[in-house]
Amino acid sequence: MGKRRGGRELLRGLSKKQKKHLREFGEQHPFHDKVPGRPEATQVCELSDSSDKSSAESDSETEVEQVSVYHKLLATLKTSPESESEEEEEDESESEAEGSETEMDSEGSLEIREADGGEDQNDVPEQEEATDMAEQMLSQQQADGIDTSCDPSHGVIEEFTDVKHESEFSLETNFMEEESGDCNADKKDGSSSQAFSEDPFKQHMDKELDEKDVEKMSTLPKTSSQSQWPRLGQVTFSSTLEKAKTLKADREVDVKQLYLHKPLESTWPKVNKQFLSSVNKPSDAFFTPLQRELFCIMNTYRDLFYPERNALTNGEEIRHAYCLHALNHVLKANSQVLNNNAKKRNQKPGTDNDDHRDQGLTRPKVLMIVPFRECALRIVHLFISLLEVNDKRKIDVSNKKRFKGEFGSDPEEKPPNLKRPEDYEAVFAGNIDDHFRIGVAILQKSMRLYAPFYSSDIIIASPLGMRTVIGAEGEKKRDFDFLSSIEILIIDQADIYLMQNWEHVLHLMKHMNLLPLDSHGVDFSRVRMLNLNNWCRYYRQTLLFSALQDPQVNSVFNKHCFNYMGQVAVRNVPLSGSISHVVVQLPHVFRRLEAESLTSVIDTRFQFFIDKVLPEYRDAIMSHTLIYIPSYFDYVRLRNYFKKEELNFTHICEYTKKAGVCRARRFFLKGEKQFLLFTERFHFYKRYTIKGIRNLIFYELPTYSHFYSEICNMMKATDNGVDATWTCTVLYSKYDAQKLAAVVGIERAAQMLQSKKNVHLFVTGESE
């Protein structure tokens, strides 16, 4: 008994680590040796301030900075008095519980093992709790999206504050004289006030609107005019302030009339050389025909909507053009600030001059919205190439290694046997993570990646990355002040956001160019009057590029673009639809449904489907029926209805796990399931070939017109079907005019919409 009591008393005084040591090594830890006198208190060493300094210039120093933040976090956890008291209470309660357990057992060694075993199991949630606490503290250090990077592997947003380069990239503390070479030359060349006043940048930003002009833009409708351009085609010009002026496409480009910033004149031909053919004339050795016409519009600071972007053909051409325009704008704006810094430094004290108003309420000038990290990687590489005059004059890029690691991709990650269409390979190339944001600060000879948003000139982000920073109403931690003075908004590949979450784009547009809630250290004597009057939205240029014309994309361009210079939209109609690419002999039945309004189309389509279409396919003869559904909400509604009616069906959506997809495809191919509900977003992200289709129903016309022919041509992949039994039914309304024209062509679509017939039949096949 005495031995047992002694063992119990010993166990009560042991912590978890000592019990584990006793169990593993069979002896007490030296910590329990009785030492006369008071034990010395444990001292926690604080880290030196030098370990917190960020060194973004060199890659090795960047790694040191990240380690120092981690150690600093550990130090704060160790020195927390609350955590120490909590640990002591836990140890006391656990030792009491262990003491009660040991009294119930007969052998001491067994008692220790059982007690320790229970503690080891409890260690797991405690460690997870500590990890969650550390992640929470890291997220709390986040400065409202400023200077952030999203880690896709861990899902934790890590902060990176480049303190060392803050002063080097500050516009307020630098002067034009400190720049050499091109800047001095540019200053001399720009000495002519007449030439400088003809610069489109200067003309656009210096124009002063009055309250009558702003009232006109808010109330009066826009006037429009049309013009035919050689490469863009049908171009529509619209404006509110004055009658829309029609631009003429320049067949030849004079570089001097473009007013490019000095280094860009020499670097642009080298960067754009890959798109130029030997056929180009010497006078037109700078742009392709498409780039020339697009840049001609961009350089006038009009809003632009181009809905014919194709990732396979002209995607990179367009990216080069808008990157040139954005960088040209930033370099001119920064040069103006640096010039005025020098003038203000040399002026006599006490003199006040309003000519030095050259800034916004916040520094960010350009916001680029792109869908994937790979797009941001290509944009940054373009900026670097445009700023490097030659191989000898490399620019300093801060945090380049970290950027490549987070935005680059490993070619070996892609499965070798994966065969997908060419357009799929072009869209989903590289790193396709869609949650990111990064600030870029640019001076003529250097670039700073991962700059805090309020110290950045350009912000590159995805809609989801912006949504998590902006937050929602009622959230404690949200920030959108950095969007207050955006002068150029570029939304590239807008069609992909329809497949991601279009609400994020609308949420972003609602928070553009609002008055900031905080001053953020701005010098109000340098702020332009247009920003102080909260008229920045009327000066903002919006460039919108998409692969298709969609009502939701059109709505953003029509309702959220207020540029006083006017808007330019390319409005070409498709002459031949994607139905011409269907290679199987197949009858296409287009059934028109009548809806009173746009809001009632959803309910009308559902009722039309269950009353008139679905009864025709309930017969067992009409097996192997695939129902293509573009909207996820319609998919959920149909799935619930099919379950309620106990129909023999299976379903595949973008959230279905891989095992569920394989099971559904197998059941559908073998005929064990009569219906297959199939969402458009799943097809967009996966592009699987569904075998066994005999009957096809398009619940709504597809968003991408080429999806229509792709789905129809899947019937060719089956080996059991007979051509004569294949059917294809399409539901449409008058509100689907654009989608209908993209599928059947503009002439057929016009006839179908004007005709009183509700059913139209077309037959496609190899014999056509």
Side-chain angles (χ1 to χ4, degrees), residues 593-597 599-609 637 699:
L593 54 98
E594 299 295 336
E596 296 179 357
S597 63
T599 55
S600 64
V601 168
I602 298 175
D603 294 331
T604 305
R605 180 181 286 108
F606 177 74
Q607 205 62 39
F608 184 86
F609 176 79
R637 191 174 188 178
Y699 186 78

Side-chain angles (χ1 to χ4, degrees), residues 5 7 30 45 79 146 156 236 281 297 316 364 411 420 451 461 489 560 577 606 612 627 631 658 681 695 713 755:
R5 286 177 186 172
C45 298
T79 55
I146 303 167
V156 180
T236 302
K281 301 178 182 178
I297 298 171
E316 290 304 312
R420 294 290 183 268
L489 170 63
H560 295 278
F606 177 74
K612 297 185 179 181
I627 305 175
S631 171
K658 192 173 183 179
R681 288 178 67 188
N695 304 290
N713 290 332
S755 174

Side-chain angles (χ1 to χ4, degrees), residues 370 372-381 403 407 436 460:
V370 290
F372 305 119
R373 285 179 180 256
E374 174 68 18
C375 306
L377 180 72
R378 296 183 182 183
I379 288 173
V380 172
H381 285 171
F403 175 74
F407 285 77
F436 63 91
I460 309 171

Side-chain angles (χ1 to χ4, degrees), residues 410-421 424-426 428-430:
D410 187 2
E412 297 180 357
E413 292 179 357
K414 183 181 177 181
N417 298 326
L418 189 65
K419 293 183 179 180
R420 294 290 183 268
Y424 179 90
E425 298 288 350
F428 293 99

